[in-house]
Amino acid sequence: MDNSGQTSAEFILLFGGIFVVVLLAVHMYNSYMGELGGEISSKEVNEFNNELNKLSNYFK
């Protein structure tokens, strides 16, 4: 049996498995950051609207 061929195949499978795990982690991180970004933007918009409402009270 060719040991070098078996070793090469095992390395290919090992690196393929690691690659799949990394891709899943990146996808989950990207989804998490996208959701977090929406929350941050929403919070900033609400704070900006509140400040505009406070300023409008000075001009009434």
Side-chain angles (χ1 to χ4, degrees):
M1 193 160 122
D2 188 14
N3 287 337
S4 63
Q6 181 179 355
T7 304
S8 297
E10 288 174 359
F11 275 125
I12 290 170
L13 289 172
L14 177 67
F15 287 127
I18 291 172
F19 185 69
V20 168
V21 169
V22 168
L23 285 178
L24 287 173
V26 167
H27 176 69
M28 289 175 18
Y29 179 74
N30 192 15
S31 298
Y32 172 74
M33 291 305 290
E35 293 171 6
L36 184 63
E39 291 177 12
I40 290 171
S41 298
S42 176
K43 181 181 176 189
E44 290 175 351
V45 168
N46 287 335
E47 288 177 358
F48 182 72
N49 284 335
N50 290 336
E51 292 298 321
L52 284 178
N53 288 334
K54 287 178 186 176
L55 287 175
S56 69
N57 291 332
Y58 291 114
F59 296 106
K60 288 186 178 179

